[in-house]
Amino acid sequence: MICNRFLLILCTVFLVPIVNSQTIPTLGKIEIYDSTFEQIVSPNQSIEILSDSLRWAEGPVWVSEHKFLLCSDPTRNTIYKWSTEGGFQLFLSPSGYTGLHPYSDEPGSNGLLINHDGELVACEHGDRRISRMSLAKGGKVTIADSWQDKRFNSPNDICQHSDGSYFFTDPPYGLPDREADTNNREIAADGVYKISADGSVDQIINEVQKPNGIALSPDESILYVSLSDSQKPHLLAYTLSEGKITGPGKVLFDFSKQFAKDGPGPDGFKVDSKGNIFVGAAKGIVVLNKDGKLLGRIFTGVPTANCAFGDDNWLYITASNYLLRVKLHN
C-alpha cells in the first residue's frame, strides 16, 4: 500500500467496508433478453454492494496472485483496493496526476490491467501516459506518453496482446476542458494506439469520436472498441491479423437502437473465455454474445463504467459511486 498518514485517516472516515456487515446490501436486478443468458447468470442472483463511497468508480482489475481487486477513482486521483479480508481501502494516491496545481475534473488513473509480468498497468489522465508498476516494490515506469513527439490526450482504457503489445484508447475526457481543450491538447484525433513490445507507438484508429473501452477476442482475431459518442454509441469490431488491423470497424452493436432511453452509451467492457462481451452501458452491464446478439443486462440503475472477472466466478462492477459484484455460473 502506498499512501501517507493523512490519506490513511481519510480512508478511515470515508471508506467504510460495507462487506464486513452481517447483511450485504444489494441493488438492481438481472434482466433476461435471451434464454442463453440464464447459463451465464441466474435471474434471481443478487448484485452486492461492496462499497458506496467512491465519487466515480472506474477501471476494475482482479489481482489473482494476491486475491484482491483494484479500481480507480479518477476524480479523487486514487486507486482503491478491495478484498474479502480487508474490505475497501486506499491503495495508491496520486494515481494519475503528479502535478502541483489543480488540473481537471478527472486527473487520476482510469483503466487498469495486470500485465504478463504481474505489474499494474494504468491509463493516467493527468500525467497523460501509460505506466507500469511492480506490486511488490512500487515505483512507476512510463511505458509511453506520446506519439510523434505529441503528448497523448488522456489514456482511458487498455488491453494486452499475447505478444506483449498493448492497445489503448485516448479520448479527451481527462483534459481540463475535455474535447474543447485547445490549450493542452496536442493530438487532434481521439485515437486508438498500439504500443509494440519494442516500445514503438502507432496510431491505428483515428476516424472515431470518443473511443472508450477496448478488449481483444479470446483468439485475438478481433479488437473491440466502444464509442461513448452520443451520436454513434457503438461497439465496434476490427479484424486483426498478426496483431494488425486489416480493415474498417464493423458495428457489432448500436446502443441507440436498443437502449436509447437508458443512456449513457458504452463505456469499458470485458470479454469472457467464450467470447461473450460484458459492456458497461445503459445503467448496467449489457451482455452480448460474440456475434453481437443481446443476451441480457445486469441492471444497476446507475451509470455503469466497467467490470472485471474475478476468482470463483465473481464479476466485479464499477458503477457511479459503487463497487459491486455478482456471482456468475461456471
Side-chain angles (χ1 to χ4, degrees):
M1 180 183 296
I2 302 174
C3 59
N4 61 34
R5 184 177 179 182
F6 175 70
L7 288 175
L8 282 172
I9 293 173
L10 288 181
C11 291
T12 303
V13 173
F14 293 112
L15 305 177
V16 178
I18 291 174
V19 74
N20 286 344
S21 61
Q22 292 183 351
T23 302
I24 299 177
T26 63
L27 56 66
K29 59 184 178 179
I30 307 299
E31 298 177 343
I32 308 296
Y33 288 86
D34 185 272
S35 60
T36 58
F37 193 50
E38 296 186 45
Q39 300 172 20
I40 296 174
V41 61
S42 168
N44 299 317
Q45 189 63 56
S46 297
I47 304 169
E48 300 178 357
I49 301 174
L50 302 179
S51 178
D52 63 357
S53 54
L54 293 104
R55 289 182 184 168
W56 177 242
E58 264 287 4
V61 62
W62 180 255
V63 186
S64 294
E65 182 180 358
H66 301 291
K67 308 298 181 185
F68 60 72
L69 183 98
L70 297 176
C71 68
S72 297
D73 189 331
T75 63
R76 283 182 172 154
N77 198 14
T78 299
I79 292 174
Y80 294 105
K81 170 185 173 182
W82 179 88
S83 66
T84 302
E85 296 77 15
F88 195 72
Q89 55 190 298
L90 189 148
F91 178 77
L92 179 66
S93 184
S95 68
Y97 177 60
T98 55
L100 299 177
H101 305 289
Y103 179 70
S104 74
D105 292 336
E106 295 187 10
S109 62
N110 196 308
L112 306 173
L113 69 79
I114 302 301
N115 68 12
H116 300 334
D117 296 321
E119 299 168 312
L120 176 64
V121 174
C123 296
E124 300 188 11
H125 277 185
D127 283 352
R128 299 166 71 170
R129 65 174 178 168
I130 304 295
S131 67
R132 60 181 175 85
M133 185 184 78
S134 167
L135 289 173
K137 299 178 181 179
K140 290 184 179 182
V141 176
T142 298
I143 297 175
D145 59 9
S146 62
W147 169 70
Q148 295 186 349
D149 295 324
K150 298 177 182 179
R151 297 183 69 192
F152 298 134
N153 294 320
S154 54
N156 190 82
D157 207 354
I158 191 166
C159 62
Q160 188 175 24
H161 194 277
S162 60
D163 66 6
S165 61
Y166 298 97
F167 296 91
F168 72 93
T169 57
D170 188 42
Y173 295 142
L175 292 173
D177 292 316
R178 297 168 72 92
E179 56 266 32
D181 197 325
T182 58
N183 292 323
N184 296 285
R185 190 165 188 169
E186 298 180 18
I187 301 174
D190 293 354
V192 178
Y193 296 85
K194 178 181 179 180
I195 307 172
S196 297
D198 63 4
S200 60
V201 179
D202 293 299
Q203 187 185 79
I204 59 172
I205 301 171
N206 60 15
E207 76 282 2
V208 298
Q209 298 295 316
K210 299 179 181 178
N212 199 316
I214 192 165
L216 291 159
S217 63
D219 64 0
E220 300 183 331
S221 66
I222 301 172
L223 179 69
Y224 299 107
V225 177
S226 64
L227 306 182
S228 295
D229 181 359
S230 61
Q231 302 302 311
K232 296 180 178 180
H234 298 161
L235 179 67
L236 301 178
Y238 293 84
T239 301
L240 289 180
S241 177
E242 297 181 352
K244 297 180 179 180
I245 291 176
T246 59
K250 168 188 173 184
V251 178
L252 192 69
F253 193 83
D254 184 345
F255 285 85
S256 68
K257 293 181 178 180
Q258 183 68 43
F259 296 108
K261 298 180 181 179
D262 295 327
D267 199 315
F269 61 94
K270 297 296 187 296
V271 181
D272 71 11
S273 60
K274 297 180 181 179
N276 298 311
I277 309 165
F278 292 66
V279 188
K283 296 182 180 179
I285 297 296
V286 174
V287 183
L288 314 169
N289 71 8
K290 63 181 181 180
D291 299 315
K293 181 178 181 180
L294 176 61
L295 304 181
R297 175 168 60 165
I298 302 169
F299 183 71
T300 66
V302 296
T304 301
N306 210 330
C307 61
F309 301 111
D311 293 342
D312 300 324
N313 301 312
W314 286 106
L315 179 72
Y316 294 88
I317 301 168
T318 48
S320 185
N321 59 303
Y322 295 104
L323 175 62
L324 310 168
R325 72 173 182 176
V326 61
K327 191 78 166 183
L328 305 180
H329 293 315
N330 294 333

